[in-house]
Amino acid sequence: MAEPTTPGAQGASGFELGTDGPLVIVVGVDGSESSWRAAAYAGGLARRQRAMLAVVYVQPWMPMVTAMGADVQALTTDIADELVQEIREAVERVEDVFTIRWKFLTRRGDPYTELSKAADELGADAVVVGASQQAGHRLIGSVAVRLVRSGRWPVTVVP
């Protein structure tokens, strides 16, 4: 008679209980309400799966505004700093209840391209983004739609 297996032990198939979920979850944040909801969802998923959470902020590339003399890089860097501070405060509020492994990345350029690159570089098992609230995205496609259509990772779009 075979001995029963305990949680975490490998069965005859080589499958190990507790290690079947994502190991790296990428979430895109831009400071919008839907991106914060996406970050909260991804954070909960990362906690439950014991996955690493990579929070990615893509600084917009606006060469025309830069040509007109506006200091866009300083502005978007300030936004990135504020996002990091808000994320750190949120993590500190829950650190007595549970811990989560996370990192913050900031990129510059097209959000779809940069989120895709980050997910590829990190070997992401899942990507989470907030739904776009901009009307123009219904015509040309939002970052979320483009990520889903690429079919490279499971993508969760949080409203």
Side-chain angles (χ1 to χ4, degrees), residues 37-62:
R37 286 191 294 271
Y41 177 86
L45 183 60
R47 177 186 55 83
R48 289 186 298 278
Q49 298 293 331
R50 295 184 182 91
M52 198 272 295
L53 178 65
V55 181
V56 181
Y57 168 63
V58 179
Q59 298 178 17
W61 184 267
M62 294 182 271

Side-chain angles (χ1 to χ4, degrees), residues 2-20:
E3 291 186 31
T5 59
T6 58
Q10 288 188 344
S13 66
F15 177 78
E16 186 175 342
L17 293 175
T19 60
D20 56 336

Side-chain angles (χ1 to χ4, degrees), residues 86-153:
E86 287 186 46
I87 294 165
R88 283 194 176 122
E89 289 171 4
V91 169
E92 287 172 8
R93 282 193 300 268
V94 297
E95 71 182 349
D96 291 337
V97 179
F98 58 83
T99 58
I100 186 169
R101 294 179 301 127
W102 66 281
K103 66 169 62 178
F104 182 82
L105 305 170
T106 184
R107 305 285 176 98
R108 179 177 294 282
D110 172 59
Y112 164 76
T113 302
E114 296 305 320
L115 281 172
S116 296
K117 284 182 187 176
D120 286 341
E121 290 167 9
L122 295 167
D125 299 300
V127 177
V128 180
V129 292
S132 175
Q133 303 299 315
Q134 297 180 1
H137 286 169
R138 291 191 176 108
L139 299 174
I140 60 172
S142 66
V143 172
V145 168
R146 292 170 66 194
L147 287 166
V148 169
R149 285 187 180 159
S150 74
R152 293 162 52 191
W153 323 268

Side-chain angles (χ1 to χ4, degrees), residues 36 79-89 102 104:
W36 284 124
I79 292 170
D81 292 343
E82 289 175 21
L83 291 172
V84 170
Q85 185 59 36
E86 287 186 46
I87 294 165
R88 283 194 176 122
E89 289 171 4
W102 66 281
F104 182 82

